[in-house]
Amino acid sequence: MEGQYTFQSAPRAVRNTNRKKYRDDDMGESGAGNIMFDPRVIRGNTYAMPVPVRQMQMTQKIGRNTRKKRLSKPIPRSSTPEPVPGRKHTEAQTDNFLEELHDKPYEAEISTQTDHLLDYPTAPLFKPKPSGVSKATEILPGDLFDFDLEVEPILEVLIGKSLDHALMEVLEEEELKELKQHKADFEQKRNTRLAEVQRLEAAEKRRVEEKERRIKQGKDFEEKQKAAAEKAKARLLAKQLLAGAEDVVFVNLEKEGKIEEPIRKQVVEGFLPWIMEQTRSRLQNSAAARQTITA
């Protein structure tokens, strides 16, 4: 058995770079490898042709690099300088072939007519091939049945059913008519009762309003009477208080000089000073004349 196998290099254990040969106590499960990201695991159906892992990785890497270059490459855009003051940019058509621009695209209606579809002919009914020997016989009139005798019960049944159906229809019509009449009577009675209820409600409402108005009038009258009585009482009390105080007040005012008679005031303030002044001037004139005479 040992001579059947040869090795180019000595056998060695497979080295796993994802985890260590031993596990630290505080490492937990952070170093555990995920089989979904293991490049040695090929994902796909079981009947497709297997793709080498190295070639698949190189293809994915080239695709990622190409996608990154395409995304990082800036898109060339033509820049237009800003218009000078007083002007503005206007869109112009620079194609080799001029094309008329429309707000609404041109529309045209075209119709066509196709040939009528021809229906397939109806398939014939299946008739099995007869088997055996055909025989014939002769039936004379009256051998099988008598029409007048056999048709009588059928006619009786048909006529009876027709009469029953007609009678049921008539009864239904009468019942519908009675229901309609009963409904009309009920509607009339209900409308009458409703009108009576509305009339009673209106009368009760007017009675309540009249009662409230009368109560309000009574309260207003009582308030007016009370106010008038209070005014009369106050007026009488004022008269009683002022009856005895009037003379005393006038006397006190006269003593204080607040109230004076107009004639007396004119005599005291106007006439008496004038008389005194005239008398003084005449006495002075008389005294001056005597002195002149005596001298």
Side-chain angles (χ1 to χ4, degrees):
M1 295 296 294
E2 294 179 357
Q4 295 181 2
Y5 298 96
T6 57
F7 299 95
Q8 295 181 357
S9 61
R12 60 185 178 83
V14 178
R15 183 180 180 183
N16 189 2
T17 58
N18 293 333
R19 62 180 182 179
K20 301 178 180 180
K21 295 182 179 181
Y22 58 89
R23 182 179 298 174
D24 297 334
D25 295 338
D26 57 348
M27 183 177 180
E29 296 182 357
S30 60
N34 192 350
I35 195 173
M36 297 300 296
F37 297 98
D38 194 345
R40 296 174 297 175
V41 178
I42 298 176
R43 288 168 293 279
N45 50 21
T46 57
Y47 53 85
M49 183 175 63
V51 181
V53 177
R54 185 65 178 175
Q55 182 179 358
M56 183 176 62
Q57 290 178 353
M58 291 298 294
T59 304
Q60 292 178 356
K61 185 175 181 181
I62 293 172
R64 286 194 299 268
N65 295 336
T66 305
R67 194 180 301 107
K68 287 182 180 179
K69 289 180 181 180
R70 185 170 63 253
L71 293 176
S72 62
K73 185 178 180 180
I75 300 175
R77 296 181 182 274
S78 60
S79 60
T80 304
E82 296 294 333
V84 298
R87 296 186 180 183
K88 62 179 181 179
H89 291 312
T90 304
E91 296 182 358
Q93 189 173 7
T94 58
D95 297 340
N96 295 329
F97 301 96
L98 296 179
E99 179 182 358
E100 186 177 1
L101 302 178
H102 299 278
D103 295 339
K104 184 179 180 181
Y106 175 74
E107 297 179 357
E109 294 184 0
I110 299 176
S111 61
T112 182
Q113 180 64 40
T114 58
D115 296 335
H116 294 286
L117 296 177
L118 300 177
D119 296 334
Y120 288 101
T122 306
L125 296 176
F126 174 73
K127 294 182 179 180
K129 185 177 181 180
S131 60
V133 180
S134 300
K135 297 291 183 180
T137 182
E138 183 179 2
I139 300 175
L140 298 177
D143 290 346
L144 294 178
F145 65 96
D146 187 0
F147 180 77
D148 295 335
L149 181 63
E150 298 292 339
V151 80
E152 183 177 356
I154 299 176
L155 290 177
E156 289 180 356
V157 172
L158 293 176
I159 293 172
K161 295 293 289 184
S162 300
L163 291 175
D164 291 341
H165 187 68
L167 182 61
M168 290 296 295
E169 289 182 353
V170 172
L171 292 176
E172 288 179 358
E173 291 177 358
E174 292 293 334
E175 185 177 0
L176 291 175
K177 188 184 295 183
E178 291 180 359
L179 289 175
K180 189 180 295 184
Q181 184 65 29
H182 180 71
K183 184 178 180 180
D185 296 340
F186 175 75
E187 291 288 341
Q188 184 177 2
K189 291 179 181 179
R190 188 184 66 175
N191 294 333
T192 304
R193 292 179 180 177
L194 183 60
E196 183 66 20
V197 169
Q198 290 178 355
R199 185 183 65 81
L200 294 176
E201 288 180 353
E204 183 66 22
K205 185 177 180 181
R206 289 195 299 270
R207 190 179 299 106
V208 172
E209 291 178 354
E210 182 68 19
K211 182 179 178 181
E212 292 178 354
R213 187 174 62 83
R214 292 295 179 86
I215 292 172
K216 186 177 181 181
Q217 288 180 356
K219 290 181 179 180
D220 295 341
F221 181 75
E222 290 179 358
E223 291 178 357
K224 289 180 180 179
Q225 291 291 334
K226 187 176 180 181
E230 291 179 354
K231 287 182 180 180
K233 188 184 296 184
R235 190 180 296 111
L236 181 60
L237 182 60
K239 285 182 178 180
Q240 291 177 358
L241 293 174
L242 295 176
E246 184 177 359
D247 299 335
V248 178
V249 170
F250 280 110
V251 171
N252 294 332
L253 290 176
E254 287 179 358
K255 288 181 179 180
E256 294 178 359
K258 301 294 183 180
I259 298 177
E260 295 180 357
E261 294 182 1
I263 297 174
R264 182 179 178 182
K265 182 177 181 181
Q266 292 178 3
V267 170
V268 172
E269 295 181 358
F271 182 70
L272 291 178
W274 180 76
I275 289 295
M276 294 298 292
E277 184 66 28
Q278 291 295 328
T279 303
R280 187 181 300 108
S281 64
R282 286 189 179 187
L283 291 174
Q284 290 178 356
N285 293 333
S286 298
R290 287 192 192 97
Q291 290 177 2
T292 303
I293 290 170
T294 57

